[in-house]
Amino acid sequence: MATTVRRAVLTLPAAPLGPENPLPALRAPDGVHVLDERAREGLPRDMARQIGYEPLRSLLPVRILDGYGRSRAELEFESIVIENAHLRVTVLPGLGGRVHSLVHLPTGRELLYRNPVFQPANFALNGAWFSGGIEWNTGATGHTTLSCAPLHAALVPAPDGGVMVRLWEWERLRDLPFQVDLWLPEDSEFLYVGVRVRNPHERPAPVYWWSNIAVPEDAGTRVLVPADEAWHFGYERSLRRIPVPEWQGADRTYPLRSEYPADFFYEVPDGARPWIASLDAGGQGLVQTSTRRLRGRKLFVWGAGGGGRRWQEWLTEPGTGGYAEIQAGLARTQLEHVRLDAGAEFCWLEAYGPLAADPAAVHGADWKAARGAAEEALARALPADRVEAAYKAWLGCADTEPGERLAEGSGWGALEVLCGGLVLPGTPFEQSTLGEEQEPWLELWRTGVFPKPRRAAPPGPSLVAAHWRDMLETAPAEPLTEYHLGVAQWHAGDIAQAVRSWERGLASAPSRWPLLRCLAVADELAGDPLRAAAGFAEAFEDLAGESRDGERWAAAEAALGREAMAALLAAGRLPEARRVWDRLRPALREHGRFRLLAARLLAAEGHVAAARRVFEDGFDIPDLREGEETLSEAWSALTDRPLPPHYDFRMRPSP
């Protein structure tokens, strides 16, 4: 059977993504996967250096996606199906190029954990993320900001004369283009994935890449990897070297033998073939291997504890089997970023396919024999030299210009390529993809003037790279220009100048709340909670007076209302917090975040029983953050009773 590629439609129960949060993401990421200098003491020198290399100061210029809910209805997703006699691969170009399904046709086995629903949750760097399949994580530590974003997709001639699918996009946190080529040779049991990350700039750039593979999990699932040691990272935010497979009295290569969620970053010896496999009680499952550039291997477990099980339910639906994640990355751990020199590129080839090994050996007590059985089975199924040969063949096609287009991504890459005069063979960012969001920036580049808004609306996205900041600094100092300039200066670390720009814009701004909100965040992060609270209250009051009908205005009210109430409660300014609540649109008060804020406000006002009733009546927070302990903290402030399982999302032991 010759390899075929076809378009298809995948229908899933799905929660709508909702609108973007229009407030610029000025705060640094939450720090769940951050190690401070003291915690880095004693680590290998190269690891410590890469952990400290160019961490994100903010998520700019990307916007937060937090407008989703938990009500699902049937929704159609455009998909691309690649198939030969051995494998059927289903790709979702509109959702980060996720490989949704990988079916071994002779046995009918699904090799991945295939989520039966599309349910966004707050795990990506910018919010919305969903579980299942194979995800291409690039940008910075965490799930990519492109998790729920469209990628460009097209057909490209494959090295064997067939056809492959190319996915590509412009990653905006690091301003780097990347491509993922999916290639299924005619008689292959393995899907080949060629990846290239390029740095077209005249400066070095930090690069992050982890291919994240969700695999089915049960009591018989074991993860095998060529390593005798691992780096354990839990939500206590410490990194320590541990033995493999047994640690603290349990074999941690079985995902359900850990109680709490944790990462295990394996020490694959230099020169060893890199691979990782997840095999069931019968010794069957999925294996991933690659060329040596992709050196890191990792296991993430949710664990068998209540919080981990609750997260598993949260990401899908009751009755669905659980999953673990096996991953492959550029560095030993996900806390690291790797330097890519100016004008250089990183390239590698990955392979995904079925693996069957002797179950007695795989699940035996002898770890060396267990992983040896899997490695021997891999050598028979896909010799290492075949992967190297496929890599060399793919490199000859990496610059081939795409043919038939299958999907369209964003226009941000086209803007950067046009304005930077960049040439990127194989990944065309065409001007036809430029849209409404890029329009004012295109005008700034062409005329030196940032255009005034045509109508009252929340400001559009800001751009923060140095060349855009330079253009904003020389543009006429209109209020909207000063707003965007301040955001760019903030991103560059020039906090004082950002504040001055926002203050200048405020003096003549017809719409004051965007600037007031930025200044309030600056006060908050400067350690002045009282002034910050007053600023948030003033900003929300101005927004409430200006707001109109429409999704973008409602999103602005929701985002700024949450910030204002939280700041006012923290500052003890209860009457102002109550005023914000009273001015909210009634529909917003039913959102989970506002139900929690209502409970906190009631408790602060002395109505503890009423606050408890908010919990007892039940609510969900759709955008509950990974590692966030807000619910358990609020509950413990109201009562000594155990936390109800519905609210238990704890990812670490109680302090």
Side-chain angles (χ1 to χ4, degrees), residues 2 51 57 99 129 313 375 402 408 489 509 534 546:
I51 289 174
R57 287 191 293 266
V99 175
W129 174 85
E313 295 173 357
E375 192 154 24
E408 188 175 281
Q489 291 165 333
E546 183 183 349

Side-chain angles (χ1 to χ4, degrees), residues 140-218:
T141 299
H143 290 285
T144 175
T145 62
L146 296 166
S147 292
C148 294
L151 302 191
H152 302 282
L155 298 180
V156 180
D160 62 351
V163 66
M164 63 184 177
V165 173
R166 174 163 299 162
L167 306 166
W168 73 98
E169 192 40 285
W170 188 275
E171 199 289 310
R172 301 179 66 210
L173 291 179
R174 303 302 195 182
D175 268 335
L176 301 178
F178 70 94
Q179 72 187 71
V180 177
D181 288 352
L182 304 170
W183 170 31
L184 185 57
E186 182 174 331
D187 195 36
S188 175
E189 285 200 329
F190 283 80
L191 170 69
Y192 292 137
V193 181
V195 182
R196 175 165 63 171
V197 180
R198 287 190 274 198
N199 180 7
H201 307 297
E202 297 178 353
R203 63 184 186 281
V207 172
Y208 173 91
W209 186 282
W210 282 80
S211 300
N212 181 6
I213 310 139
V215 290
E217 165 205 75
D218 59 33

Side-chain angles (χ1 to χ4, degrees), residues 175-324:
D175 268 335
L176 301 178
F178 70 94
Q179 72 187 71
V180 177
D181 288 352
L182 304 170
W183 170 31
L184 185 57
E186 182 174 331
D187 195 36
S188 175
E189 285 200 329
F190 283 80
L191 170 69
Y192 292 137
V193 181
V195 182
R196 175 165 63 171
V197 180
R198 287 190 274 198
N199 180 7
H201 307 297
E202 297 178 353
R203 63 184 186 281
V207 172
Y208 173 91
W209 186 282
W210 282 80
S211 300
N212 181 6
I213 310 139
V215 290
E217 165 205 75
D218 59 33
T221 300
R222 191 178 203 186
V223 172
L224 298 113
V225 63
D228 293 313
E229 292 183 310
W231 294 90
H232 172 271
F233 185 81
Y235 286 79
E236 305 89 346
R237 303 183 186 182
S238 64
L239 188 66
R240 51 184 164 175
R241 193 193 296 258
I242 65 169
V244 175
E246 188 166 309
W247 177 58
Q248 294 185 343
D251 187 332
R252 305 295 173 165
T253 60
Y254 289 88
L256 287 176
R257 296 186 187 178
S258 293
E259 183 176 2
Y260 291 97
D263 298 323
F264 298 89
F265 299 106
Y266 295 108
E267 275 281 3
V268 178
D270 290 340
R273 182 180 186 180
W275 61 271
I276 189 167
S278 173
L279 304 182
D280 64 15
Q284 298 188 76
L286 172 82
V287 65
Q288 186 271 1
T289 186
S290 69
T291 50
R292 286 190 171 88
R293 169 69 71 183
L294 208 64
R295 62 171 296 188
R297 292 300 185 274
K298 169 195 166 181
L299 165 65
F300 168 76
V301 300
W302 285 107
R309 293 300 94 193
R310 181 71 181 108
W311 274 115
Q312 293 261 30
E313 295 173 357
W314 187 253
L315 294 170
T316 180
E317 60 183 4
T320 303
Y323 75 95

Side-chain angles (χ1 to χ4, degrees), residues 73 96 155 209 251 282-283 291 320 325 403 456 460 508 514 523 566 578 623 625:
L155 298 180
W209 186 282
D251 187 332
T291 50
T320 303
E325 293 172 0
S508 59
D523 287 331
R578 175 60 65 183
D623 65 328
R625 184 68 178 163

Side-chain angles (χ1 to χ4, degrees), residues 409-445:
S410 78
W412 295 113
L415 182 69
E416 296 297 341
V417 166
L418 176 64
C419 298
L422 305 178
V423 178
L424 299 170
T427 53
F429 293 95
E430 295 166 340
Q431 293 186 38
S432 61
T433 62
L434 293 167
E436 181 181 353
E437 289 188 324
Q438 292 81 42
E439 186 178 333
W441 298 96
L442 196 58
E443 185 169 337
L444 172 65
W445 176 67

Side-chain angles (χ1 to χ4, degrees), residues 26 60 472 480-492 494-495 497-502 518:
L26 301 178
L60 296 165
L472 289 166
L480 185 57
T481 307
E482 296 287 4
Y483 163 81
H484 287 300
L485 174 58
V487 172
Q489 291 165 333
W490 179 275
H491 174 74
D494 193 348
I495 306 304
Q497 191 59 56
V499 168
R500 284 193 287 272
S501 294
W502 290 327
C518 289

Side-chain angles (χ1 to χ4, degrees), residues 595 598-604 607-616 619 635 638:
R595 298 308 300 157
R600 291 179 56 199
L601 177 57
L602 286 166
H607 309 302
V608 176
R612 263 198 313 267
R613 280 197 297 275
V614 174
F615 274 86
E616 291 162 359
F619 62 90
W635 176 260
L638 297 175

